[in-house]
Each structure stands twice: as structure tokens, then as C-alpha cells.
Amino acid sequence: MSPFNISGQRIKQDKSNTKVEEMTGSNLVRNKTRTGNYFEDFRIGMRIRHATPRTLTDGDRSLYIALTGSRDVVASAKTVSELVGLAQHPMDPFLVFNLAFGKTVPDISLNAVANLGYADGRFLAPVSAGDTLRVESEVIGLREVSNGKSGVVYTRSTAFNQHEKEVLTWVRWVLVQKRDPLAPPVSTLIPQLPSCVGSEAFAVPDYGPGVSTVPSETGSQDFWEDYEVGERIDHPSAMTVNESDHSTATRLYQNTAKVHFDLQLMSKTPAGKRLVYG
Amino acid sequence: MSPFNISGQRIKQDKSNTKVEEMTGSNLVRNKTRTGNYFEDFRIGMRIRHATPRTLTDGDRSLYIALTGSRDVVASAKTVSELVGLAQHPMDPFLVFNLAFGKTVPDISLNAVANLGYADGRFLAPVSAGDTLRVESEVIGLREVSNGKSGVVYTRSTAFNQHEKEVLTWVRWVLVQKRDPLAPPVSTLIPQLPSCVGSEAFAVPDYGPGVSTVPSETGSQDFWEDYEVGERIDHPSAMTVNESDHSTATRLYQNTAKVHFDLQLMSKTPAGKRLVYG
Amino acid sequence: MSPFNISGQRIKQDKSNTKVEEMTGSNLVRNKTRTGNYFEDFRIGMRIRHATPRTLTDGDRSLYIALTGSRDVVASAKTVSELVGLAQHPMDPFLVFNLAFGKTVPDISLNAVANLGYADGRFLAPVSAGDTLRVESEVIGLREVSNGKSGVVYTRSTAFNQHEKEVLTWVRWVLVQKRDPLAPPVSTLIPQLPSCVGSEAFAVPDYGPGVSTVPSETGSQDFWEDYEVGERIDHPSAMTVNESDHSTATRLYQNTAKVHFDLQLMSKTPAGKRLVYG
């Protein structure tokens, strides 16, 4: 169950290969610092089992509402989830995505310069309080950028529950720094990705007849036939993001990317401040 | 179960009646924006079933302590709630009030200028983790103010649990903007309200003999006979409210009033900053 | 069960002995203000049963992760706690410590000048969601400082669960102000404390064979034999503490020390700002 790459070699998944040994007074500084993977550490087909599985609870449900103000009626009210025929009270899917995404950061994007895109994200099974998620990723594409300082890593990540059932999958590509600008170039592979997820791929629960009562619980007067392709909808309720809000969210998701946390570090960057999670 | 007014007409409860259709590039902006009710949308006797019921959990209990530092001993400790003879571990009543109140905002006070008062608030039944609340309001009074730009709306709101039992009721009055200053005046009705809630209206649980041990758990040395009418008590422990604190609380309660969230908007008002919930 | 000192006298545990009665308009300000104990209120052997027991829930578990980003794998994942053979999903021990510590503040350190040290901290039994903790302290040492304005109070505090089982114990010493600089000196006693907790005092759960699979869940490649005495480890992931973060944590722990909350008060101190909990 340890992380091995496809050749059966153990992956130094979140530990620099560069030995950092120096004397500080009489004490030895050893190589236990997790510095994350750099671009040249990735190989096509490499599979990573991410650390720290996470049990979701109703505490996460409340915190997600407190962080977002979400009024997703099924996640908000157990009575409504029962009305629509669900056996368990599901979590907000974006809470699940954020938690699963956070698991991939220590291995994939601790040295990221920029998060570039997502594709083919699919929610495959509902997640409820008490379920435990673990996440695996496979490197499906690599492309070094022209200045030789970094490269794009494409990964397919999948979250599993405690019954080894897939609950969520997505592709992400991210610009990752090279440790050594002189590292030899890797072979380039840009994966083919769908431009959208077709409705045939949707995992729609088997709703009961009570689903027809949901509009009275949401208060919405807009139905399927009221929407059309290309329509624009104004959402005027703006929300200012406080520093503590995004720090708290990022910690809840156990996301370890330091750009979200270290003001001293980030004050030296062009942004001059911490980045908001997302 | 949809929102109807007393004449059986469907209420456009959180949607402007003014069509906002304009072209943005090649895209149509349609009338799906929820702009909330304005003063002239309310009528005496109008009943509103508020959207988005909410299941309370122990996550809400913890967050309420984290937001307030509350040391209400019955809500803090299940052992104490058992000592006093309660079958379930009740939530802090003010958490319940805030959650129930939040439900009324999208329909009643999205366009409020000022929250004016509350009366006849009564906690009718305890609420525990797993209970789901929904809220209804009735318009019981209306009074346009002299400048013709807004009016006072009086509402009686009641929260029900999943067994349709009333758990909380209160009257609130709030100054709401008119959409159209030239809208014809509505008939004025100012409701009669009790100046205080008499003890005969209190819903006191049937406490067991263990209630006598509570003072040892609270550490308080002040009892019923130690208080007198007109006495003043100094509470010297001040607490500075951080922006994230009140944003988080307001989101937890799914309260959508933008005065609490939009710094850019509020920086143009005389206050110059976001309002704290309350 | 009320707080009595060792002579059987009721302790005025969180109430000033100085009567504060003054007229404010026509209203009497009475002595219900909790001003906490001052140095001269403590006696060797005094035992205090702290108020407000607290039931821990999964809401606390989530909030602790959201406040710290903790990736303690046993507290994070119920599946891992089952793997290692634990019957219940334990809480992070430092969450338990912080909650238990918070209980002692109203009685011991409301008038503290500085928190000086901790010793002999031992986690004696795991705590799970649904457990209720209460805390007792005994004064085990006292030493007035030379300027006569304050003194060091040494306490042994112990947290008990609802089955009266000890779950945590620690010694703390703290510098506490005197109410009256002219109060007669108390007898000095400085307790003998161990310089470290020996491994024979560790309460190690009876782990099952599944504990050997834990490294695959943590992702760590460092084991017992990889560490040596005197080794230094660099932890480069810094985290900036936001005001709301530490206020929220301190409230969650029901810690009432005003140095963490009152910006107006603290802006007059040399620090000029609120202290972070710790």
C-alpha cells in the first residue's frame, strides 16, 4: 500500500532528493523536511497514493455552510434529502471536491507556480457523514515550458470511500517549478481531454417521487425549461473574502500550499499578499 | 406547499417584479436575479413559507461556541442536560433563533434599511442535533414613512421542526425600501404587541430532581433570590468583533443580507464598512 | 459538589471579595461581576472544581482541523483509528488539552500577567465524540515575586470524562496579580516537578496488528530508527495567524482570558494588540 511508481520503485513522493545536511551549532539538520515534488520528479504513468485519509462529519457540513453561506437545500436539510429518496444525508459536493483536492497538494502542487485548469470532473457517488475518503492520482501528461524553469503536470485524481468505491474524479493541470533548471527535459505528452462532461456520464441518484416537492423548499421559480444556452444570469450578492475565511477553509481541506498561509513569504512576491484558496 | 398569499395567488416572494432584460454583448440578461421584496410588495395577512430548511447538527453547536464563547452549561455538556432531566441534548436557544431568523431575510429584509425591533419572542420547544427547522412568516403590520421612500413591515415568524411542532416564534419590525417611490400607499396597520412576555407563556421543560446540582456545574453563586428588578450588573469581559467572525456567523445562519458581506458596496455608505450581524 | 477549599470553606472562586457597590443613576451595581481570583486568594492544597463541563463532538474535531490544518492521521480518519485497533475514533490530544485548559482560566488565570510554564503533561485515556470533560485543579505551589505586586501560582490540573476516568493531567505555573499590593505574604512552596515524562508513564493504547499499515496512510518515510537525540528538523511551512483565527480558537475552548479578546484594553498595553492564545 506504499506509494510505488509503475516500475515498482518506491516514489520519494514528498521529500526532496537533494540532501540538506548542515551543521547548526552542534546539531545536525537532516533531510526530514518535506519539500514536495518538482517538475523533474514526475513521470508519465506515475501513480501516487496521497496521505492522510479524512473522515467527513456533520462538523464539516456546518463549517462549509459557515465558510460559504451555501443554501444547497439537499445538503442543508436532511428532511429534503429524504424527500428526494436518498438513504443518507449527502454532503455538499464542492466540500467533497475541496477535501479530496487538498489531499493531492503535498505530492503534486507544493511547488506550483500556478493552477491552470480542470477538466472531466465527475461526482460519482454521494458522500455522507461518517464516510472516509482517500485519494489517488496518476500523472497523465507532462510538458516543459520554454524558459526551462518549470513545466505543466497533468494529473487524473480519484477519491475513494472506505468501501473502495469511486466517489469523485477530475483532471487538473498545474505549472510546477523545476528544482534544477538544468535537469534534462522529460518526454512531452499532452493528454486528450473532453471539452465538457456529457450527460451520459452523470451519476444521477435514483430519486423518489418526493423530488417534485423540492421547489417549494428552495423557493426557486425557475425550472429546466426556463434556462437556455447562452443566457447570462446576474448574481448581485457579492461577498468580501476575509483573510481568516480563506485560511480556515484551506486548513479544513488540509491543503498545505504555503501561498495561502505565509504572509511573510508572500509579501515578497508581486502579489504582496496571501493567495485565496481556489 | 408553494408560497401562496392569502388570496391564493402565488407570491413572487424573492424576485423583483420589474423585468430586467438587457443585452450584454450577444447574451441576454434575464430576470432570474433575486432582488427580494420591496415595501410595496407586502400586504397585511400575506403568509410566506421561507426557503431552505436546515438540519441542525453538533457541528452547529461547536461553531456557535467558537463564534460566541458561550458557556451555557446545558448546551455545553450533555451530562448536565441529562442531570436536569432532558431526553435530548438541546442546542443553545440563540443559535436556534439566529438560524430561524436567517431564513426570513431573503423574503423580508433583503432590501431593509434598518432593523427596528423585536417583540414577543418565545422559545416553545427544545431543538437538538438532527432536528430540521423551517420557518413561516405572516405580515401583521405595515406603515409607510413620511418621506415616501420606505416603510415599516411587521412580521410574526414561527419556526417548526420536522414534526411540524412550533419551536420558536417572534415578531420583528423592519424598515424596508420601496422599489418605486411613487408606488401608491398601502393601508396602515400597526399591530398591538405585548410589552413583555409573561411568565405564564414560558415553555419550561419538566425538569427532574437533578436540576438542583446545576449550580455546582456553572460555578455561579447567584440564585433567584439574589436578583432584583432594576439591578444593574457589570459585564467587564469585552470582545472585539473581527470581520471574519461576523461574516462566518452570518453565513452559518444562511442569512443573505448583503450589508454584512459586501465591503465594496458598504464602503460607499455613511458607515463605510460592513455591518455586524445583529 | 460545590467548590470547597481543603478546610471545608466555600471558595469564592471567581468572584472578587471586594464589594463593588456604586450608584449609577437610580440603579445599584451589585457584586455579581466575576473578577477572578488574585494571588492572595490562593492557598496551598486548595482544590477547585472548574465550572462548565463540555461535551466534545465531531464539530470540535472539524473546527480543530480548520483552525490548525492538523493532519494527525488517527484523528483525521476513522478508518485509520480502526486499523490501529481503537474502538472509538479519538480526538486530537491537543484539542483535548486546549479545551481542558480553558476550563481552568476563570478560576486560576483571569488575572494572570504571564503564563510561565507547563510540566508533567500526560494524556491518560483517549477522548471521543460524545465524551464530556470536567476539570479540577489543586494549588501545589505559591511564590510571591520580589516587587510584591504578583506571585507565581503552581497548579496540578486533571480532566475527567463522564465515567470519572482521568483523561489528562498537567502542571502549570502562572504569574498572577495581587488585588492588594499590601496583602500579607503567603508561605512559599515551590513544588518538585519532573524534568520530563518518562516513557513508563505513557498510556499507550493496546494497538492491533493493523498499526503496521499506518505509514502508508501518513506518507512519512521516517521511522523510529531514523531519529536521534539532538537532531534538528526544519519545518518550513509557516502560517500567519489572523485575529479571527485565534479569537475563534480561544472561544471554542471557552477560555475567558480577556487578553485574547479585548483590543481596546490591549491597545493600552505595551504589546498594543491582543495576545494570541497559547
Side-chain angles (χ1 to χ4, degrees):
Chain A
M1 290 163 81
S2 286
F4 291 94
N5 67 20
I6 50 166
S7 314
Q9 295 174 299
R10 190 163 188 176
I11 299 166
K12 293 272 184 184
Q13 70 183 76
D14 61 349
K15 195 167 173 180
S16 163
N17 292 316
T18 310
K19 282 279 176 191
V20 183
E21 298 201 353
E22 56 178 74
M23 301 302 291
T24 306
S26 61
N27 295 307
L28 184 65
V29 176
R30 286 237 187 151
N31 185 20
K32 288 195 179 70
T33 301
R34 307 290 178 250
T35 57
N37 287 312
Y38 288 84
F39 180 67
E40 63 265 43
D41 298 327
F42 293 98
R43 295 288 178 275
I44 300 292
M46 181 185 275
R47 297 180 71 87
I48 302 171
R49 181 190 171 100
H50 303 295
T52 325
R54 174 77 145 76
T55 304
L56 281 84
T57 72
D58 280 332
D60 300 309
R61 187 193 303 280
S62 293
L63 262 165
Y64 190 73
I65 294 174
L67 289 165
T68 63
S70 171
R71 291 184 293 149
D72 175 309
V73 76
V74 173
S76 178
K78 192 168 186 296
T79 51
V80 177
S81 77
E82 289 166 355
L83 267 179
V84 305
L86 300 177
Q88 305 289 328
H89 188 193
M91 294 282 166
D92 191 299
F94 285 98
L95 166 61
V96 176
F97 170 74
N98 278 301
L99 279 166
F101 176 87
K103 297 291 147 213
T104 71
V105 170
D107 301 319
I108 294 174
S109 52
L110 211 58
N111 300 304
V113 181
N115 216 10
L116 299 177
Y118 297 90
D120 201 25
R122 284 180 274 135
F123 297 98
L124 303 170
V127 175
S128 303
D131 285 347
T132 302
L133 301 188
R134 68 172 186 85
V135 183
E136 286 187 5
S137 295
E138 180 177 355
V139 178
I140 61 169
L142 289 172
R143 181 171 64 82
E144 192 165 317
V145 298
S146 55
N147 68 11
K149 292 182 180 167
S150 58
V152 181
V153 180
Y154 297 80
T155 51
R156 155 74 68 189
S157 298
T158 304
F160 300 83
N161 69 15
Q162 69 277 19
H163 307 299
E164 292 297 310
K165 185 174 172 63
E166 295 185 3
V167 298
L168 174 62
T169 183
W170 72 95
V171 172
R172 170 197 186 201
W173 52 108
V174 56
L175 189 62
V176 178
Q177 288 180 285
K178 288 172 76 175
R179 184 188 298 105
D180 175 9
L182 302 178
V186 301
S187 58
T188 290
L189 176 65
I190 300 177
Q192 293 286 328
L193 295 171
S195 61
C196 74
V197 178
S199 58
E200 74 286 353
F202 293 172
V204 182
D206 190 19
Y207 291 126
V211 74
S212 65
T213 64
V214 169
S216 69
E217 304 293 357
T218 63
S220 175
Q221 295 169 42
D222 297 310
F223 294 85
W224 168 259
E225 59 270 30
D226 297 323
Y227 292 86
E228 59 182 81
V229 174
E231 180 182 350
R232 293 174 67 92
I233 302 170
D234 183 28
H235 302 295
S237 293
M239 188 178 288
T240 301
V241 177
N242 305 295
E243 291 287 5
S244 181
D245 297 346
H246 76 84
S247 297
T248 300
T250 311
R251 288 184 299 243
L252 179 67
Y253 310 144
Q254 295 172 313
N255 179 326
T256 59
K258 54 191 146 188
V259 295
H260 305 309
F261 293 121
D262 188 343
L263 175 58
Q264 197 175 10
L265 173 77
M266 297 306 290
S267 65
K268 298 169 196 155
T269 66
K273 58 185 178 182
R274 285 168 282 177
L275 297 186
V276 171
Y277 178 74
Chain B
M1 291 164 81
S2 285
F4 291 94
N5 66 22
I6 50 167
S7 313
Q9 295 174 297
R10 189 164 187 175
I11 298 165
K12 293 271 183 187
Q13 70 184 77
D14 61 348
K15 196 169 171 177
S16 163
N17 293 316
T18 310
K19 282 278 176 193
V20 182
E21 298 200 356
E22 56 179 74
M23 301 302 289
T24 306
S26 62
N27 296 308
L28 184 65
V29 177
R30 287 236 186 150
N31 186 19
K32 289 195 178 69
T33 302
R34 307 288 178 253
T35 55
N37 287 312
Y38 288 84
F39 180 67
E40 63 264 42
D41 298 327
F42 292 97
R43 295 289 178 274
I44 300 291
M46 181 186 276
R47 296 180 72 88
I48 301 172
R49 181 188 171 101
H50 303 295
T52 325
R54 173 78 144 75
T55 304
L56 281 84
T57 72
D58 280 331
D60 299 309
R61 187 193 304 277
S62 292
L63 263 164
Y64 189 74
I65 294 174
L67 289 165
T68 63
S70 171
R71 291 185 294 150
D72 175 307
V73 78
V74 173
S76 177
K78 190 167 188 296
T79 51
V80 177
S81 76
E82 289 166 355
L83 266 179
V84 305
L86 300 177
Q88 305 289 329
H89 188 193
M91 295 283 167
D92 191 300
F94 285 97
L95 166 60
V96 176
F97 169 75
N98 278 301
L99 279 166
F101 176 87
K103 298 290 146 215
T104 70
V105 170
D107 301 319
I108 294 174
S109 52
L110 211 59
N111 300 304
V113 183
N115 216 10
L116 299 176
Y118 296 90
D120 200 25
R122 284 180 274 134
F123 297 98
L124 304 170
V127 175
S128 304
D131 285 347
T132 301
L133 301 188
R134 68 173 187 84
V135 183
E136 287 187 4
S137 294
E138 179 176 356
V139 178
I140 61 169
L142 289 171
R143 181 171 64 81
E144 192 165 316
V145 298
S146 56
N147 68 12
K149 293 182 181 168
S150 57
V152 180
V153 180
Y154 297 81
T155 51
R156 157 73 68 188
S157 298
T158 304
F160 299 83
N161 69 15
Q162 69 275 21
H163 307 299
E164 292 297 311
K165 185 174 172 63
E166 296 185 4
V167 299
L168 175 62
T169 184
W170 72 96
V171 172
R172 170 198 187 201
W173 52 108
V174 56
L175 189 63
V176 178
Q177 288 179 286
K178 288 172 75 174
R179 184 188 299 105
D180 175 10
L182 302 178
V186 301
S187 57
T188 290
L189 176 66
I190 299 177
Q192 293 287 329
L193 295 171
S195 61
C196 73
V197 178
S199 59
E200 74 287 354
F202 294 173
V204 182
D206 190 19
Y207 291 127
V211 74
S212 66
T213 65
V214 169
S216 70
E217 304 293 356
T218 62
S220 176
Q221 295 169 42
D222 297 310
F223 293 85
W224 168 259
E225 59 271 28
D226 297 322
Y227 293 85
E228 59 182 80
V229 173
E231 182 182 348
R232 295 174 68 91
I233 302 170
D234 183 28
H235 304 294
S237 293
M239 188 179 289
T240 302
V241 177
N242 305 294
E243 292 286 5
S244 180
D245 297 346
H246 76 84
S247 298
T248 300
T250 313
R251 288 184 299 242
L252 179 66
Y253 310 144
Q254 296 173 313
N255 179 326
T256 59
K258 54 192 147 187
V259 294
H260 305 309
F261 293 120
D262 188 343
L263 176 58
Q264 198 176 10
L265 173 78
M266 297 305 290
S267 64
K268 298 170 196 154
T269 67
K273 57 185 178 181
R274 287 168 281 178
L275 296 186
V276 170
Y277 176 74
Chain C
M1 289 164 80
S2 284
F4 290 94
N5 67 21
I6 49 167
S7 313
Q9 296 174 297
R10 190 163 188 178
I11 299 166
K12 293 271 183 186
Q13 69 184 77
D14 59 350
K15 195 169 173 177
S16 164
N17 292 316
T18 311
K19 282 280 176 192
V20 183
E21 297 201 354
E22 55 179 73
M23 300 301 290
T24 306
S26 63
N27 296 307
L28 184 64
V29 176
R30 285 236 187 153
N31 187 20
K32 290 196 177 69
T33 301
R34 306 290 177 249
T35 56
N37 287 312
Y38 288 85
F39 180 69
E40 64 264 42
D41 297 326
F42 293 98
R43 294 289 178 275
I44 300 291
M46 181 185 275
R47 296 180 71 89
I48 302 172
R49 182 187 170 103
H50 303 295
T52 325
R54 173 78 144 76
T55 303
L56 281 84
T57 72
D58 280 331
D60 300 309
R61 187 192 304 278
S62 292
L63 262 165
Y64 189 73
I65 294 174
L67 288 166
T68 63
S70 171
R71 291 185 294 150
D72 175 308
V73 77
V74 173
S76 178
K78 190 167 187 296
T79 52
V80 177
S81 77
E82 288 166 355
L83 267 179
V84 305
L86 300 177
Q88 305 288 328
H89 188 192
M91 295 283 167
D92 191 300
F94 285 97
L95 165 61
V96 176
F97 170 74
N98 278 301
L99 280 165
F101 176 87
K103 298 290 145 213
T104 70
V105 170
D107 302 318
I108 293 174
S109 52
L110 211 59
N111 301 304
V113 182
N115 216 10
L116 299 177
Y118 297 90
D120 201 25
R122 284 181 274 134
F123 296 98
L124 304 170
V127 175
S128 304
D131 284 347
T132 302
L133 301 188
R134 69 172 187 83
V135 183
E136 287 188 6
S137 295
E138 179 175 355
V139 179
I140 61 170
L142 288 172
R143 181 170 65 82
E144 191 166 317
V145 298
S146 56
N147 69 12
K149 292 182 181 167
S150 58
V152 181
V153 179
Y154 297 79
T155 50
R156 156 74 67 188
S157 297
T158 304
F160 300 83
N161 69 15
Q162 69 276 21
H163 306 299
E164 292 297 311
K165 184 174 173 62
E166 296 186 5
V167 298
L168 174 63
T169 182
W170 71 95
V171 171
R172 169 198 188 200
W173 51 107
V174 56
L175 189 63
V176 178
Q177 287 179 289
K178 288 173 74 174
R179 183 188 298 105
D180 175 9
L182 302 178
V186 300
S187 58
T188 290
L189 176 65
I190 300 178
Q192 293 286 329
L193 294 172
S195 60
C196 74
V197 178
S199 58
E200 74 287 352
F202 294 173
V204 182
D206 190 19
Y207 292 125
V211 75
S212 65
T213 65
V214 168
S216 69
E217 305 293 355
T218 62
S220 175
Q221 296 169 41
D222 297 310
F223 294 85
W224 168 259
E225 60 269 29
D226 298 321
Y227 292 85
E228 60 183 82
V229 174
E231 181 183 350
R232 294 174 68 92
I233 302 170
D234 183 28
H235 303 295
S237 294
M239 188 178 287
T240 302
V241 177
N242 304 294
E243 291 287 5
S244 180
D245 297 346
H246 77 83
S247 298
T248 300
T250 313
R251 288 183 299 243
L252 178 67
Y253 310 144
Q254 297 173 313
N255 179 326
T256 59
K258 54 191 147 187
V259 294
H260 305 309
F261 292 121
D262 188 343
L263 176 58
Q264 198 176 11
L265 173 78
M266 296 306 290
S267 64
K268 297 169 196 153
T269 67
K273 57 186 177 182
R274 287 168 282 178
L275 296 185
V276 171
Y277 177 75

